[in-house]
Amino acid sequence: MLSLDEVRRIADLARIEIPEAGVAALQQQLNGILVLIEQMCAVDTTGVEPMAHAVDVTQRLRADRVTEADQHELFQSAAPQVEDGLYLVPKVIE
Amino acid sequence: MQWEVVIGLETHAQLSTASKIFSGSSTAFGAAPNTQASAVDIALPGVLPVLNRGAVERAIRFGLAVGATIAARSVFARKNYFYPDLPKGYQISQYELPVVSGGDVLIVVDGVEKRVRLTRAHLEEDAGKSLHEDFHGMSGIDLNRAGTPLLEIVSEPDMRSAGEAVAYAKTLHSLVRWIGICDGNMQEGSFRCDANVSVRPAGSEVLGTRCEIKNLNSFRFLEKAIEYEVRRQVALIEDGGKVRQETRLWDPQKGETRSMRSKEDAHDYRYFPDPDLLPLEIAPGWIASVKATMPELPGAMRSRFVADHGLGATDAATLTSSKALAAYFEEVVRLVGGEPRACANWVLGELLALLNRLEVEADASPVAPGALAGLVKRVLDGTVSGKTAKEVFEAMAAGEGEADAIIDKRGLRQISDAGAIEALVDQVLAANAKLVDDYRAGKEKAFNALVGQVMKASRGLVNPAQANAILKKKLG
Amino acid sequence: MFDLTISALASLLRDRKASSEELTRLFLGRIARLDPGLNAFITVDEEKALAGARAADARLAKGEATPLTGIPIAHKDLFCAKGWKTTCGSRMLADFVSPYDAHVVEQFDRAGAVLVGKTNMDEFAMGSSNESSHFGPVRNPWDRARVPGGSSGGSAAAVAARLVPAATGTDTGGSIRQPASLTGTSGIRPTYGAVSRYGMVAFASSLDQGGAFGKSAEDLALMLNVMAGFDERDSTSIERPKEDYARVLARPLAGLRVGLPKEYFTADLAPDVAACVTAAIAELKAQGATTVEVSLPNQALAVPVYYVIAPAEASSNLSRFDGVRYGHRAADYADLNDMYRKTRAQGFGAEVQRRILVGTYVLSHGYYDAYYLQAQKVRRLIARDFTQAFKACDVIAGPAAPTVAFPIGEKTSDPVQMYLEDLYTISVNLAGLPGLSVPCGFGDHGLPVGLQLIGDYFDEARMLNVAHQYQLATDWHRRSPPGIG
């Protein structure tokens, strides 16, 4: 079960701000979901191949050709902040 | 205490495909911002990746070139983290099942061969670029590079000095260009190295705590950054401190490494198989057909140059440092009709100096292999002396034509006719009675002075050995 | 006229008894009149719709019509349609106008269908009641105090109230079949890989599949004929020849083996729903089908497994909503990470946030094996159960939802209660199988009940055949809610 600190850590990892007053309620909801999930944890799955895809086929490959034209003006019409063709974001610190 | 340095390299080679690894956008360098960022590259809602065959084929070429195992089945995974140059919030990479495993690279350091083992090489997509020029206190994001195919080549921690690390990086750099999978342009970021560096007491079997150093976009920075990092770690430990496992950034201005703030929080990438991409299967037939198109590899060629041509390991390594240079050398040998050591001396000497001066590859040399072969032949058959030949080479480099034409035009043909030399010698003896007397009085030095006068009178064109012999005879 | 099926409307159009413009105006008028009470649509665009109708009329006049040419339809608002707002029911994309078309949208355009609007949905398709939409809940046309089911609740309600003859939906855990059951409509989710996911905003990529709502199984076949087919832009799209899903509709049911999973008929199933489903199965038998009890021993694990895999994939799929390139960005923030955190806290509703957090947790360091990997293994066991069952039967029949439509607000306070709504549908998504729901009667409060049919991989034509034969003998699918005339 998740502690309050774990809830905060996960929210941080997922980049979702949780108001401090809401952490306890969220913890309770998430733990309710984990109780549901844990029903499958005890199943013996020794030797069972994990199923990552709904279909058992392999990756199709695309020919190495340039097929895309420049549409940045159309795409950037949806952007919150743009200048000189660049998406602007709060200063990135390396 | 004696410290042993342990280095492993992670190298990102941009693959030389026309289009991106998961979209049909161009990978060409230098376009205006975001003009090569398609719906898939900017991760619009609903878009999906489709894998580029060209990228996979280049990974196969690499696997074959380093004697690695090419996975019959490999899997693409998502590496999840938030960063503005990573549009999806995850990078598509390979994690548990990479396309290439194992293999090795032979490097030559101080004339000695060393084997560096590879852990793996996997396909992944490049991120975009954050431009830190000031946009009213904000950063600008250009996603043209996002989705460019990368092969991340991970070495084992087999290197023991900055010199070895540089030799490995150079060998790998030469190899990826040799097999035509990467243009190797380091200024444009086509070939980038991260170094994992640790130190341990000499003789210890236990690895020290390592730091990963990023932003090493030249061989010189790679060397300097490792040397700095080793000094930093040793000083830290000797002062009673501990090395903290972290990612550090090389600052070329300051010549030091520093902790990366953006990587400070412990990363939890939450890798899982990408549900949008199915397992990549590579059939043996595909590998065989790629194999059929592989050129002779630099390692094999190097061994051949040593065994068949009698060249030293270092010379052979230099000649095979690029495919263009090796091809140039082989063409000169073919046109001269043998004499590989003489050919090698010319290629490694005058030609390399010229190429370095002009900053061009051998295939763009102003002196073509045929032209150099023509000159080498004239040296070998005694038409010109080695010294004069250098003058001819410079003239060829300046575009004055073929060796023979320059030799004739400039009158550089070596004088080997005994009669002509005797006449010259007679003139010199007549004009330098004092030197003749000195010589006869037992001053050996006077003889050399007389030879010098003969050479001067002939503008350096007489065969010195012949001139010597005739002088001796006349002074008898 | 509004009550006619696609094929009946198509023959009116073909015979020039009506124009597409007339039809489109009729349905636009119904939307204007009835949708304020239902909230089935997020966007309706009269101008675009009428332009599309006129283009369809020109095409009809030239004799180049397909069965869908001139038929008004609606798309669930997570199919990107160029020039249309595509919100996914989220504040995050409340103002996002898509710059490109989804494959499904392109296919309907090419067929000449007339897009009248985009339907309401649970936010990012996460929900079973349509109450998690940023644009407010959709109301069930049969009882406006009740939910229409979800997540494709807008499409289901729109078809049930005859606001459009047919609509698209998506089904990740039951999001077509459960609302179809709750609204008395027919809905199909095809085999994973049959319909391209290109341009369909991803919730859980390995489970998502586009499908359709209509008033009959025959209409569903016509819709699939347009939607399904290989698309090279989706790596999981299956390369197989184009098929006619209506080709065996007329086949009699004699000899059909109907599998009845014993795990479906338990105390979890409400008695009124059980009665309708049982009667429907009796009808299939009356037509010559035989029934056989089959077992899906891992059925009880489907919901737990789903709530590992779907949130895990969703947590990653929804990372692109970061306020950088499109969508909502918080107005005030201290730095880059604060911008991310505030943007995502404001842009996503509570249920989406919960699922992102669950998904982040099950993938995080130290928990991956116990949760995610284990879920993938149990998923395999669930899929094998079906493979085993289909050795003994041709289709599986059962309920689509455990109860009839429930009152708005009844399950919003307990996420887990809401998750159990998809008890009978989720395992189909985990296995990647096709499933449909057709109306099979009315339960408590006179509310519709759906019969779920599950087929083997790419066996949609047979499922539709069974549903169609059932609909030839019953009229449940022709019943419409009161007060929509």
Side-chain angles (χ1 to χ4, degrees), chain B residues 346 350-351 367 371-397 402-404 406-407 410 412-414 460-461:
Chain B
W346 276 95
E350 301 305 306
L351 181 81
V367 178
L372 182 57
L375 177 60
V376 173
K377 280 188 197 164
R378 292 298 158 262
V379 177
L380 291 170
D381 68 12
T383 304
V384 291
S385 67
K387 189 160 170 263
T388 308
K390 290 182 182 173
E391 180 188 336
V392 178
F393 183 86
E394 289 308 322
M396 291 199 298
E402 296 280 312
D404 285 340
I406 293 165
I407 292 166
R410 295 196 176 184
L412 298 177
R413 198 168 288 275
Q414 189 159 267
L461 295 178

Side-chain angles (χ1 to χ4, degrees), chain B residues 16-54:
Chain B
S16 55
T17 51
S19 64
K20 293 186 178 176
I21 185 166
F22 298 118
S23 84
S25 303
S26 169
T27 56
F29 181 83
N34 290 306
T35 55
Q36 287 172 182
S38 69
V40 171
D41 307 320
I42 69 167
L44 283 180
V47 297
L48 295 168
V50 185
L51 182 58
N52 183 340
R53 171 180 294 272

Side-chain angles (χ1 to χ4, degrees), chain C residues 313-392:
Chain C
E313 293 182 6
S315 70
S316 176
N317 283 334
L318 270 59
S319 290
R320 68 189 58 198
F321 302 104
D322 59 2
V324 174
R325 297 163 313 286
Y326 47 78
H328 178 70
R329 177 189 283 191
D332 299 304
Y333 44 80
D335 57 24
L336 178 66
N337 272 330
D338 196 43
M339 187 278 277
Y340 284 149
R341 279 190 281 260
K342 288 195 162 66
T343 294
R344 291 164 61 78
Q346 295 164 9
F348 294 137
E351 178 60 20
V352 172
Q353 291 188 25
R354 272 195 293 273
R355 296 208 196 180
I356 290 174
L357 295 175
V358 169
T360 302
Y361 178 64
V362 297
L363 289 175
S364 67
H365 188 71
Y367 300 95
Y368 181 87
D369 287 1
Y371 290 120
Y372 187 73
L373 204 61
Q374 170 75 356
Q376 283 199 333
K377 290 175 180 173
V378 181
R379 180 180 184 177
R380 172 86 56 198
L381 298 179
I382 290 167
R384 280 185 196 159
D385 287 351
F386 279 106
T387 307
Q388 197 59 33
F390 280 117
K391 286 179 181 163

Side-chain angles (χ1 to χ4, degrees), chain C residues 25 40 137 139 162 166 178 181 183 243 259 286-287 293 321 339 358 415 420 461 466 478:
Chain C
R25 285 188 190 281
R139 293 170 182 279
R162 311 313 194 225
Q178 183 256 13
S181 177
T183 58
E243 68 176 290
Q287 293 192 29
E293 186 184 270
F321 302 104
M339 187 278 277
V358 169
L420 294 173
V466 177
R478 277 195 288 273

Side-chain angles (χ1 to χ4, degrees), chain A residues 1-3 6-19 25-26 29-62 65 67-68 71 74-82 86-93, chain C residues 82 96-97 99 192 206 230-239 300-301 303-305 307-308 313 323-327 329 333 335-342 344-345 348 353-354 356-358 360-362 364 367 370-371 373-381 383-384 415-416 419-420 429-432 457:
Chain A
M1 293 295 105
L2 292 171
S3 67
E6 279 176 305
V7 173
R8 290 187 195 100
R9 183 183 67 84
I10 292 160
D12 194 50
L13 209 48
R15 298 290 188 274
I16 295 177
E17 185 180 71
I18 307 293
L26 187 60
Q29 290 168 348
L30 296 179
N31 282 335
I33 297 168
L34 289 180
V35 168
L36 172 78
I37 288 173
E38 275 166 10
Q39 292 171 23
M40 58 126 221
C41 289
V43 179
D44 182 4
T45 52
T46 316
V48 179
E49 177 77 3
M51 182 171 168
H53 296 94
V55 284
D56 191 19
V57 287
T58 57
Q59 181 61 34
R60 193 176 56 250
L61 299 170
R62 181 175 63 76
R65 272 199 308 270
T67 53
E68 294 292 334
Q71 296 192 75
L74 173 64
F75 293 158
Q76 293 190 338
S77 64
Q81 208 177 343
V82 171
L86 297 161
Y87 296 97
L88 293 196
V89 297
K91 196 117 195 113
V92 174
I93 296 156
Chain C
K82 189 171 180 172
F96 176 69
V97 175
Y192 185 88
S206 79
F230 174 65
D231 175 18
E232 61 183 12
R233 295 169 299 184
D234 174 1
S235 296
T236 63
S237 170
I238 307 291
E239 231 170 329
L301 301 170
V303 173
V305 164
Y307 279 94
V308 174
E313 293 182 6
V324 174
R325 297 163 313 286
Y326 47 78
R329 177 189 283 191
Y333 44 80
D335 57 24
L336 178 66
N337 272 330
D338 196 43
M339 187 278 277
Y340 284 149
R341 279 190 281 260
K342 288 195 162 66
R344 291 164 61 78
F348 294 137
Q353 291 188 25
R354 272 195 293 273
I356 290 174
L357 295 175
V358 169
T360 302
Y361 178 64
V362 297
S364 67
Y367 300 95
Y371 290 120
L373 204 61
Q374 170 75 356
Q376 283 199 333
K377 290 175 180 173
V378 181
R379 180 180 184 177
R380 172 86 56 198
L381 298 179
R384 280 185 196 159
V416 172
Y419 298 170
L420 294 173
N429 300 72
L430 291 170
Y457 296 101

Side-chain angles (χ1 to χ4, degrees), chain B residues 106-128:
Chain B
L106 284 176
I107 61 173
V108 177
V109 185
D110 300 330
V112 179
E113 268 198 355
K114 175 170 178 165
R115 184 177 301 269
V116 176
R117 292 166 301 153
L118 300 183
T119 313
R120 60 188 278 164
H122 65 253
L123 285 164
E124 62 182 28
E125 57 180 343
D126 209 343

Side-chain angles (χ1 to χ4, degrees), chain B residues 383-460:
Chain B
T383 304
V384 291
S385 67
K387 189 160 170 263
T388 308
K390 290 182 182 173
E391 180 188 336
V392 178
F393 183 86
E394 289 308 322
M396 291 199 298
E400 290 181 29
E402 296 280 312
D404 285 340
I406 293 165
I407 292 166
D408 287 342
K409 196 171 110 199
R410 295 196 176 184
L412 298 177
R413 198 168 288 275
Q414 189 159 267
I415 302 166
S416 315
D417 175 67
I421 298 174
E422 279 190 33
L424 261 174
V425 168
D426 288 343
Q427 268 177 39
V428 167
L429 292 179
N432 293 279
K434 185 165 183 319
L435 284 173
V436 176
D437 290 346
D438 285 354
Y439 174 72
R440 293 205 165 122
K443 289 187 179 168
E444 278 294 321
K445 271 188 182 168
F447 184 80
N448 289 340
L450 286 167
V451 174
Q453 289 300 319
V454 172
M455 294 310 290
K456 193 177 169 193
S458 73
R459 292 179 302 125

